[in-house]
């Protein structure tokens, strides 16, 4: 039975309440950190002491019962630790039936209901708000653990009258008086819908801009749904944005410092891509903005082909660490002529032609500022050119006629170079802002201008602003992002 001794509403109205960051299962308040993780077997003795100190003798679970629950269902037994010392725990077992005395005493693997038996905090740590944060972290852990707890549809518990408000605050709803009779006081059944919690949250953000409806939009979903590529592609097609990013938190057992580790994949309406800058920027923003990662912690995105991408929050900017991909010069005159015709510029205005490596295999055309201002892509001509990904057109400085929304009417001043990105697979041909293209652009312009730190404008109608520099084999790209839409996927 789930009973929290000496917990009242005053606990979660404490002046410094603990809260769940959802990042690595850390509980935090202004005085420090607590760690929420699966309870270790060697802590069962301490758990038994906390249990005994918390409940009357006829209600407390015996050491053998705790041992049974831990051995049969370790995925349902979590503890809260303060510098390695157990200060509280939550434990449950699964069942295929309703919450009655019999189902509370055994564990049925694959059961669709989890009966919570104990929610306890050490006497010396009560009235700090730990219990509520612990219950919420427990809910989040079971919702996220689709591998071991995928069959679970609901959480069930019993409580006495004084704790009804507490569990409502934690997300449970009251079913009614329980049929279980144990002791003099009546019990009440409570339930939380895990299936509803697994409806996938998403956030849509605009990247490389500080104002909404500029920059490049990307949708961010916080799941790979078990690597279901067909589903990920269908959602990307439904979103019809240039990119939809899918994130999956990596297991970091016992890791409390260093970057938060997440797997990332990017899908366009036309298929998966190896690297996407603006969707990575929006993904980092989404993790911090939704509290899944605390803003004072960096994020390491693990990719399938582009290595590890590190992101850090720097005031209102996000710093991304990407691989440098210097372009290789090309003397293919036919390609130069066909690309010039497709972009509406004269071949004589092309000052350089090059191509990026495998991860960013884009053609790069450097043109005069006058030619850049006249760029007008021809869809039919562009579709006839074999592009491994896309084509970047760039010039030094920023043209005066640029009317990108990101500038908010300001003149295009202070930029070291401008660029635009086109590909026949992109709706409307043009990508509003292409962070990954700057893996090529930064090495090129840094060498060309003899400057390490560069300010870049992607001069699409929406527009984007990037601060960049190269560090050895890496390119540092900084941008801003703003949340535009948040919601829940139901399919």
């Amino acid at each position: 039975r789930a009973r929290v001794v000496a917990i009242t509403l005053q606990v979660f109205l404490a002046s410094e309440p603990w809260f769940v960051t959802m990042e690595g299962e850390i509980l935090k308040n202004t005085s420090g950190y607590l760690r929420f993780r699966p309870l270790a077997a060697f802590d069962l003795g301490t758990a038994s002491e906390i249990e005994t100190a918390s409940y009357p003798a006829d209600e407390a679970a015996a050491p053998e019962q705790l041992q049974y629950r831990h051995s049969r269902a370790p995925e349902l037994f979590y503890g809260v630790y303060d510098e390695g010392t157990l200060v509280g725990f939550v434990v449950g077992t699964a069942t295929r039936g309703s919450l009655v005395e019999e189902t509370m005493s055994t564990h049925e693997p694959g059961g669709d209901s989890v009966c919570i038996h104990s929610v306890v905090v050490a006497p010396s740590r009560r009235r700090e708000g730990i219990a509520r944060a612990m219950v919420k972290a427990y809910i989040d852990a079971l919702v996220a653990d689709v591998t071991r707890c995928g069959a679970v549809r609901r959480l069930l518990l019993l409580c006495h009258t004084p704790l009804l408000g507490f569990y409502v605050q934690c997300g449970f709803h009251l079913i009614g008086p329980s049929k279980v009779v144990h002791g003099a006081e009546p019990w009440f059944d409570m339930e939380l819908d895990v299936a509803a919690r697994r409806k996938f949250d998403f956030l849509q953000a605009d990247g490389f801009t500080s104002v909404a409806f500029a920059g490049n939009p990307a949708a961010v979903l916080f799941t790979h749904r078990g690597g279901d590529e067909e589903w990920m592609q269908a959602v990307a097609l439904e979103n019809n944005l240039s990119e939809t990013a899918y994130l999956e938190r990596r297991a970091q057992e016992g890791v409390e410092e260093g970057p938060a580790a997440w797997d990332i994949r990017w899908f366009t309406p036309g298929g998966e891509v190896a690297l996407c800058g603006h969707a990575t920027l929006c993904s980092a923003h989404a993790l911090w903005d939704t509290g899944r990662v605390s803003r004072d912690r960096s994020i390491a995105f693990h990719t399938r082909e582009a290595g590890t991408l590190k992101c850090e929050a720097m005031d209102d900017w996000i710093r991304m660490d990407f691989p440098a991909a210097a372009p290789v010069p090309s003397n293919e005159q036919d390609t130069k002529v066909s690309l010039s015709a497709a972009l509406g510029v004269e071949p004589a205005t092309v000052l350089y032609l090059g191509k990026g490596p495998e991860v960013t295999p884009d053609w790069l055309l450097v043109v005069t500022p006058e030619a850049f201002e006249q760029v007008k892509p021809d869809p039919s001509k562009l579709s006839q050119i074999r592009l491994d990904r896309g084509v970047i057109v760039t010039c030094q400085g920023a043209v005066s006629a640029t009317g990108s929304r990101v500038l908010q009417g300001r003149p295009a001043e202070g930029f070291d170079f401008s660029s635009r990105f086109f590909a026949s697979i992109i709706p409307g041909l043009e990508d509003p802002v292409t962070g990954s293209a700057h893996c090529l652009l930064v090495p090129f312009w840094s060498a060309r201008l003899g400057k390490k730190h560069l300010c870049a404008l992607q001069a699409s109608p929406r527009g984007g602003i990037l601060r960049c520099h190269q560090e050895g084999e890496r390119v540092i790209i900084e941008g801003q992002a703003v949340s535009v839409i948040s919601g829940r996927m139901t399919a």
Side-chain angles (χ1 to χ4, degrees), residues 168-180:
V168 168
Q169 288 284 334
C170 292
F172 287 81
H173 73 270
L174 175 65
I175 299 174
S178 176
K179 296 179 181 179
V180 174

Side-chain angles (χ1 to χ4, degrees), residues 26-69:
I26 290 177
L27 311 180
K28 175 184 178 183
N29 77 353
T30 56
S31 62
Y33 290 85
L34 295 180
R35 187 74 180 171
F36 178 82
R37 59 178 173 80
L39 188 129
F42 57 75
D43 286 320
L44 283 170
T46 304
S48 182
E49 293 174 2
I50 297 175
E51 176 90 2
T52 301
S54 300
Y55 302 139
D58 62 343
E59 293 187 8
E64 311 84 69
Q65 290 176 296
L66 295 179
Q67 175 64 43
Y68 169 84
R69 293 164 184 169

Side-chain angles (χ1 to χ4, degrees), residues 409-486:
R410 302 190 308 270
E413 298 176 345
F415 296 102
D416 295 294
F417 66 90
S418 300
S419 68
R420 296 175 72 181
F421 184 96
F422 302 98
S424 57
I425 64 170
I426 297 175
L429 295 181
E430 183 168 13
D431 193 34
V433 194
T434 317
S436 58
H438 291 74
C439 295
L440 280 72
L441 288 163
V442 173
F444 176 84
W445 283 113
S446 184
R448 189 92 158 197
L449 301 176
K451 293 184 66 175
K452 180 177 180 180
H453 294 274
L454 303 168
C455 187
L457 171 69
Q458 189 145 341
S460 66
R462 290 175 64 103
I465 297 173
L466 307 87
R467 303 190 308 204
C468 318
H469 69 273
Q470 187 170 354
E471 291 184 358
E473 299 297 316
R474 309 295 293 180
V475 167
I476 306 303
I477 302 172
E478 297 176 4
Q480 296 172 291
V482 57
S483 298
V484 178
I485 302 172
S486 63

Side-chain angles (χ1 to χ4, degrees), residues 180-196:
V180 174
V181 178
H182 188 74
E185 294 185 48
W187 295 93
F188 292 89
D189 291 334
M190 303 201 76
E191 179 180 9
L192 183 141
D193 191 339
V194 172

Side-chain angles (χ1 to χ4, degrees), residues 132-204:
R132 184 176 67 159
M134 183 170 65
V135 172
K136 288 189 173 182
Y138 188 80
I139 295 167
D140 291 335
L142 268 59
V143 167
D145 190 358
V146 294
T147 301
R148 297 182 300 174
C149 302
V152 176
R153 309 288 295 175
R154 59 181 182 162
L155 298 181
L156 303 173
L157 59 81
L158 302 174
C159 73
H160 290 308
T161 303
L163 294 176
L164 291 173
F166 170 80
Y167 284 112
V168 168
Q169 288 284 334
C170 292
F172 287 81
H173 73 270
L174 175 65
I175 299 174
S178 176
K179 296 179 181 179
V180 174
V181 178
H182 188 74
E185 294 185 48
W187 295 93
F188 292 89
D189 291 334
M190 303 201 76
E191 179 180 9
L192 183 141
D193 191 339
V194 172
R197 292 292 184 101
R198 286 202 173 110
K199 300 291 186 181
F200 303 116
D201 290 334
F202 79 93
L203 184 141
Q204 184 174 315

Side-chain angles (χ1 to χ4, degrees), residues 11 111 113 171 251 272 331 344 404 447 456:
V11 173
S113 301
E272 186 170 11
N331 295 317
S404 297

Side-chain angles (χ1 to χ4, degrees), residues 115-342:
C115 302
I116 298 179
H117 304 296
S118 298
V119 177
V120 293
V121 175
S124 63
R125 300 303 301 270
R126 293 173 188 162
R127 297 186 179 277
E128 295 181 29
I130 295 174
R132 184 176 67 159
M134 183 170 65
V135 172
K136 288 189 173 182
Y138 188 80
I139 295 167
D140 291 335
L142 268 59
V143 167
D145 190 358
V146 294
T147 301
R148 297 182 300 174
C149 302
V152 176
R153 309 288 295 175
R154 59 181 182 162
L155 298 181
L156 303 173
L157 59 81
L158 302 174
C159 73
H160 290 308
T161 303
L163 294 176
L164 291 173
F166 170 80
Y167 284 112
V168 168
Q169 288 284 334
C170 292
F172 287 81
H173 73 270
L174 175 65
I175 299 174
S178 176
K179 296 179 181 179
V180 174
V181 178
H182 188 74
E185 294 185 48
W187 295 93
F188 292 89
D189 291 334
M190 303 201 76
E191 179 180 9
L192 183 141
D193 191 339
V194 172
R197 292 292 184 101
R198 286 202 173 110
K199 300 291 186 181
F200 303 116
D201 290 334
F202 79 93
L203 184 141
Q204 184 174 315
D206 292 335
F208 296 113
T209 175
S210 61
V211 296
F213 314 123
N216 202 350
V220 181
L221 277 75
F222 306 103
T223 180
H224 288 179
R225 209 169 83 162
D228 187 343
E229 295 181 354
E230 183 178 352
W231 175 80
M232 287 190 275
Q233 185 59 66
V235 171
L237 188 60
E238 181 79 9
N239 289 338
N240 199 32
L241 297 172
S242 58
E243 250 84 22
T244 297
Y246 299 89
L247 310 182
E248 192 80 63
R249 182 167 49 195
R250 282 196 163 195
Q252 289 182 286
E253 186 66 34
V255 178
E256 301 186 25
E257 298 181 355
W262 290 74
D263 288 317
I264 186 170
R265 296 177 71 174
W266 309 274
F267 282 76
T268 73
E272 186 170 11
V273 296
L275 180 65
C276 180
H278 85 276
T280 303
L281 180 82
C282 291
S283 294
H285 168 79
L287 290 175
W288 287 317
D289 197 48
T290 62
R292 285 172 166 82
V293 177
S294 58
R295 196 167 177 82
D296 58 359
R297 191 176 185 188
S298 62
I299 302 168
F301 288 114
H302 296 264
T303 74
R304 306 180 85 190
E305 299 181 45
T308 301
L309 311 176
K310 186 177 179 181
C311 296
E312 297 177 89
M314 303 177 64
D315 296 323
D316 293 334
W317 291 73
I318 297 172
R319 183 182 191 269
M320 302 189 295
D321 183 343
F322 274 43
V328 177
S330 172
N331 295 317
E332 297 184 20
Q333 289 302 310
D334 290 344
T335 301
K336 178 179 179 179
V337 171
S338 60
L339 286 174
S340 298

